[in-house]
Amino acid sequence: MDRVSSFDEPLLKLLGGATAKVMAEHLGLHTVGDLLHHYPRRYEERGKLTALADLPLDEHVTVVAQVADARILMFNNGRGKRLEVTLTDGSGRLQLVFFGHGVHKPHKELIPGRQAMFAGKVSVFNRKMQLAHPTYQLLDASDADEATEAVDAFAGRLLPIYPACKQLDSWRIAKAVDAVLPSARDAVDPLPASLREGRGFTPLPEALLKVHRPQTKADVEDARARLKWDEAFVLQVALARRRYADTQLPAVARRPVADGLLDAFDAKLPFTLTEGQEKVSKEIFDDLATEHPMHRLLQGEVGSGKTMVALRAMLTVVDAGGQAAMLAPTEVLAQQHHRSITEMMGELAEGGMLGGSDRGTKVVLLTGSMGMAVRRQALLDLVTGEAGIVIGTHALIEDKVRFHDLGLVVVDEQHRFGVEQRDALRSKGKQPPHLLVMTATPIPRTVAMTVFGDLETSVLDQLPAGRSPIASHVVPAKDKPHFLSRAWERVREEVENGHQAYVVCPRIGDDAEEVEGKGGKKAKAKKAAPEEDGDKRPPLAVLEIADELRKGALAGLSVEVLHGRMHPDDKDDVMRRFAAGDVDVLVATTVIEVGVNVPNATAMVIMDADRFGVSQLHQLRGRVGRGSAPGLCLLVSEAHEASPARARLSAVAATLDGFELSRIDLEQRREGDVLGQAQSGVRSSLRMLTVIDDEEVIAAAREEAVAVVAADPELEHLPELRTVLAALLDKDREEYLDKG
């Protein structure tokens, strides 16, 4: 069998239909290579019995323990039968329970003194920890001498515990691994020999044997160090090749022009740019002046002035004869950007119009809900080049949208757009346009290197002068209802002082099963974890809360609602009136999460705050304190004080540093959905590497990858690396790399 094909061998051939089917459906394992890369989660030291005292509730566990006693109990007037077995390990006791016909075999086998491995989900019954119907494997032999030998042999070894599922226990996975382990010697080694030897790495076949069947803890460390490097290096080579390919594409250089639109704009600014804005603008202008497309990620704290930086880049491109398009994820945000950009530019945004500046250009808005006549005019302005700047939603991507000369695409909130949407917009340029991606979600350096590794990164971490501090507090509505009453009093006080407030809810309220997802899309309401929400009530809703507030705590104030299913004209009308100060309190979904800028809004109350993620809460909070008055954010929750949800809220209340919060978020969720759906490839290819813990490995791998690709862009002299890359970048996984 040749080296590659043994790894490509379907598991069905080797393991039989039932096991292979479970592995494919529940663990995503289809080939020998997949199973060899399904690494143990941890290792039991076989002679040392697992500490029963520390078992986590509601989790699938594997324990090695001894039977202390076993007894059959009758119930239901003798019609029912259950077997109760007590296990011990010196640190604690655990009860097993088997019902009905399932009691016979364990009753014969699980006799006091017997040692076995047990797997199941930990639950509580009558205030005692238990495993109901666990699967088990006996560890001792029938003959006493043999038993001693078996235990001795067992005690000196590390027992791999695999990520398992209900249908397939860890030790059945271990047996399957035994069947495919001989294929490890056929592993294709992706690391160039000089790198492998220079860093003293274990050869790959040996690393696979050591990770699955270690003799010592040192074996595990060796194997992990090597396998982490493989993952980091292959991924960074893929990203380095993408960056290299981008430098080979042609683009029109867009250089600043003296006394043009940008100079006129800068001259009328009522404030000076921060040092950070100046620095980041220079990085962008340098990129725009080159003859290959800029690919830059601009990440900045909420309110750090990203829109100002992006606008100056757009004006530079217009000065150089091109057009700029800004893609926003929602209509509310597109309208907001259009309004704030035209306000900032004044007469410079009215090129060719009466009263407009002769150095100006037209700034047009294009969204799906615009009337035909306005839409037709906007399309005409784009194709003739009359409009230098267009701000829009997905409507910009439609076939009928044509540009005179598209020079720059600015994507706001990158993670909300699919690859196809970005590519469709970029294909509208005569040559690939420059690309600036903006996000207000601070991204830890390791995630930026892994997920956005093909983009150069600029960071805005200074807040402009005049931004006020925001005080954040958790309001425990269940334990201390009077705190919630006080929260509404605080909102009323803010309004009486001439300010305005937001109230945010997870759900709209005209359908009990729906919450509003990103970009105003419908999504199923998230079920709260049992410990966080005992009565399983649906999340609080905009329409209901607004109604309650109008009749009760905020009676007499002007309370309006805003959510994604309103007609766009109605949404725009509400936003305009709120921005003008005619509405006191806006009760909204997360549709206000990004970009909404009302400096007079000073207070925000987030209902069911535990239903939102850390970075989402940080985004929402950034809507207040945008003027000269201090901001107040109240996180209302019924979650129990000791719950993870409350810990999350306390973390948000404790710091305004978005980078610190993004790190906390990543630590709590691990890789989870922080990499986003579009990044599923990263998740499926990172089995050993964790982007939160392995910053040094990722940084070093990136350096090596850049050197390798610079010396040999096509990897002609590294056929093994090419083979492994091809396997990583299959159709499903290529998407996450295609950010540029």
Side-chain angles (χ1 to χ4, degrees):
M1 187 181 295
D2 70 49
R3 297 174 71 200
V4 183
S5 62
S6 70
F7 261 50
D8 289 343
E9 182 92 19
L11 290 172
L12 188 63
K13 275 191 180 179
L14 293 164
L15 303 179
T19 304
K21 186 169 186 262
V22 171
M23 284 193 169
E25 285 177 7
H26 297 280
L27 298 170
L29 308 175
H30 304 275
T31 64
V32 167
D34 290 343
L35 183 52
L36 285 173
H37 289 302
H38 186 71
Y39 306 128
R41 175 177 285 146
R42 59 190 172 84
Y43 301 85
E44 287 287 2
E45 292 184 55
R46 282 178 157 173
K48 191 175 82 187
L49 300 184
T50 313
L52 296 181
D54 305 327
L55 288 179
L57 193 59
D58 281 334
E59 281 194 25
H60 281 279
V61 297
T62 302
V63 298
V64 180
Q66 200 161 20
V67 177
D69 66 64
R71 58 195 175 282
I72 292 248
L73 300 171
M74 311 302 274
F75 61 94
N76 209 356
N77 291 330
R79 289 198 296 277
K81 196 186 274 189
R82 87 168 171 269
L83 170 66
E84 285 184 1
V85 178
T86 306
L87 302 182
T88 180
D89 70 345
S91 77
R93 294 165 87 79
L94 175 68
Q95 189 162 292
L96 312 180
V97 60
F98 300 86
F99 292 99
H101 299 302
V103 305
H104 304 302
K105 187 166 180 259
H107 187 219
K108 273 193 230 158
E109 294 180 336
L110 299 178
I111 52 179
R114 264 282 163 85
Q115 200 181 33
M117 256 193 311
F118 303 88
K121 191 173 181 182
V122 183
S123 57
V124 169
F125 182 70
N126 279 345
R127 290 188 289 189
K128 279 186 189 168
M129 290 270 208
Q130 71 166 27
L131 297 183
H133 278 286
T135 46
Y136 62 90
Q137 183 180 341
L138 299 174
L139 295 174
D140 46 0
S142 49
D143 181 278
D145 294 335
E146 274 182 37
T148 311
E149 276 173 36
V151 170
D152 287 347
F154 179 76
R157 301 282 297 281
L158 291 169
L159 174 72
I161 304 298
Y162 288 91
C165 59
K166 192 176 163 187
Q167 296 79 359
L168 202 62
D169 302 316
S170 170
W171 52 83
R172 283 171 60 201
I173 295 171
K175 278 183 178 166
V177 169
D178 284 336
V180 302
L181 211 47
S183 297
R185 64 175 178 271
D186 299 328
V188 175
D189 197 324
L191 297 190
S194 56
L195 193 161
R196 196 169 60 234
E197 286 151 21
R199 289 185 176 267
F201 284 132
T202 303
L204 183 56
E206 194 184 316
L208 288 169
L209 287 169
K210 280 181 170 179
V211 81
H212 288 293
R213 298 294 173 263
Q215 302 295 314
T216 63
K217 287 181 181 174
D219 283 354
V220 175
E221 290 312 306
D222 262 9
R224 282 195 162 151
R226 168 67 217 254
L227 296 167
K228 277 181 181 182
W229 244 91
D230 282 20
E231 286 179 7
F233 179 71
V234 171
L235 187 57
Q236 291 302 332
V237 166
L239 292 164
R241 289 187 77 198
R242 179 59 54 100
R243 288 195 300 275
Y244 178 83
D246 287 339
T247 65
Q248 304 308 298
L249 291 172
V252 179
R254 312 283 178 173
R255 297 183 179 89
V257 173
D259 294 327
L261 192 50
L262 178 63
D263 285 352
F265 175 75
D266 283 351
K268 67 195 285 295
L269 278 180
F271 51 81
T272 20
L273 297 174
T274 65
E275 243 176 82
Q277 285 174 318
E278 293 276 14
K279 178 177 146 287
V280 168
S281 289
K282 184 182 181 316
E283 290 170 349
I284 291 170
F285 292 159
D286 289 350
D287 283 359
L288 290 174
T290 59
E291 293 187 346
H292 59 81
M294 165 172 80
H295 286 86
R296 190 164 284 278
L297 170 70
L298 171 56
Q299 50 170 327
E301 271 293 9
V302 178
S304 59
K306 290 183 302 298
T307 310
M308 172 63 69
V309 169
L311 176 55
R312 294 181 77 242
M314 293 196 283
L315 296 176
T316 302
V317 169
V318 175
D319 273 343
Q323 291 168 293
M326 181 185 256
L327 187 60
T330 65
E331 291 211 353
V332 166
L333 191 48
Q335 287 161 347
Q336 172 83 32
H337 276 317
H338 181 252
R339 197 156 45 238
S340 62
I341 283 172
T342 50
E343 278 166 13
M344 281 196 272
M345 287 177 65
E347 74 282 1
L348 296 173
E350 295 163 0
M353 295 155 76
L354 201 60
S357 162
D358 54 355
R359 280 191 289 186
T361 186
K362 248 192 192 180
V363 178
V364 300
L365 176 69
L366 192 64
T367 64
S369 63
M370 286 164 65
M372 274 314 291
V374 187
R375 187 182 172 80
R376 198 173 290 124
Q377 184 58 52
L379 291 172
L380 189 63
D381 288 341
L382 285 179
V383 79
T384 59
E386 191 83 7
I389 295 176
V390 58
I391 294 141
T393 54
H394 304 79
L396 278 177
I397 293 161
E398 290 170 13
D399 287 346
K400 60 182 77 135
V401 180
R402 295 271 180 274
F403 289 84
H404 176 64
D405 180 12
L406 180 60
L408 170 67
V409 173
V410 178
V411 179
D412 194 19
E413 290 306 312
Q414 154 79 17
H415 57 281
R416 302 201 179 190
F417 289 99
V419 177
E420 305 79 12
Q421 295 163 326
R422 281 191 305 276
D423 282 352
L425 187 51
R426 286 177 61 201
S427 68
K428 292 179 182 290
K430 291 171 186 167
Q431 287 194 326
H434 297 281
L435 176 73
L436 179 65
V437 166
M438 300 199 297
T439 177
T441 307
I443 302 162
R445 178 168 170 257
T446 42
V447 179
M449 281 193 295
T450 310
V451 181
F452 296 101
D454 56 334
L455 299 174
E456 299 302 328
T457 303
S458 294
V459 178
L460 269 179
D461 48 13
Q462 261 178 311
L463 289 188
R467 287 300 301 256
S468 302
I470 305 169
S472 306
H473 303 285
V474 179
V475 178
K478 208 168 194 171
D479 312 344
K480 298 176 180 170
H482 60 286
F483 276 37
L484 183 57
S485 311
R486 177 69 189 125
W488 300 127
E489 280 170 27
R490 283 291 290 112
V491 169
R492 195 176 270 282
E493 285 163 18
E494 289 297 312
V495 173
E496 282 164 4
N497 289 332
H499 299 300
Q500 293 158 278
Y502 297 99
V503 176
V504 182
C505 304
R507 196 164 57 88
I508 296 171
D510 47 5
D511 179 337
E513 270 303 295
E514 282 176 7
V515 291
E516 187 155 329
K518 302 247 164 143
K521 293 191 179 73
K522 299 175 193 177
K524 287 288 176 196
K526 175 190 149 198
K527 289 277 189 285
E531 49 92 358
E532 290 172 20
D533 200 351
D535 58 2
K536 289 284 200 329
R537 65 163 174 74
L540 294 170
V542 165
L543 301 178
E544 292 154 17
I545 292 290
D547 203 38
E548 279 175 32
L549 292 175
R550 285 187 193 113
K551 291 174 184 163
L554 302 182
L557 301 186
S558 160
V559 177
E560 295 274 3
V561 301
L562 180 73
H563 58 76
R565 291 216 294 278
M566 286 164 64
H567 187 279
D569 290 349
D570 295 339
K571 277 193 278 197
D572 202 34
D573 175 56
V574 170
M575 265 328 293
R576 274 181 193 283
R577 287 189 293 116
F578 187 63
D582 300 337
V583 173
D584 298 324
V585 180
L586 187 63
V587 184
T589 54
T590 54
V591 74
I592 60 143
E593 179 187 347
V594 283
V596 173
N597 184 24
V598 180
N600 192 46
T602 53
M604 175 176 285
V605 181
I606 304 178
M607 308 302 292
D608 276 346
D610 47 283
R611 312 252 182 169
F612 299 97
V614 169
S615 57
Q616 201 172 26
L617 291 169
H618 183 57
Q619 291 294 313
L620 288 166
R621 170 172 63 185
R623 301 304 108 213
V624 296
R626 299 179 80 86
S628 53
L632 172 69
C633 179
L634 301 174
L635 306 166
V636 179
S637 168
E638 292 187 359
H640 188 270
E641 194 170 359
S643 68
R646 274 287 283 280
R648 209 163 57 230
L649 296 183
S650 299
V652 174
T655 179
L656 291 172
D657 181 339
F659 284 91
E660 175 58 23
L661 286 174
S662 69
R663 193 161 185 92
I664 290 167
D665 196 18
L666 192 53
E667 275 168 0
Q668 287 185 345
R669 294 190 286 170
R670 303 311 287 177
E671 272 52 71
D673 58 347
V674 98
L675 301 181
Q677 285 310 303
Q679 280 76 40
S680 60
V682 176
R683 219 163 41 242
S684 54
S685 61
L686 298 190
R687 295 184 171 90
M688 186 64 82
L689 194 72
T690 54
V691 290
I692 189 75
D693 300 324
D694 296 316
E695 183 165 338
E696 284 170 25
V697 175
I698 292 168
R702 181 179 170 116
E703 231 170 87
E704 294 276 13
V706 168
V708 163
V709 172
D712 183 2
E714 295 305 314
L715 308 178
E716 285 171 16
H717 305 295
L718 298 167
E720 292 84 2
L721 179 53
R722 259 205 335 268
T723 300
V724 173
L725 262 182
L728 170 74
L729 300 183
D730 59 25
K731 274 284 169 269
D732 295 339
R733 297 179 192 174
E734 191 149 24
E735 262 198 18
Y736 83 89
L737 285 177
D738 208 347
K739 290 212 145 36

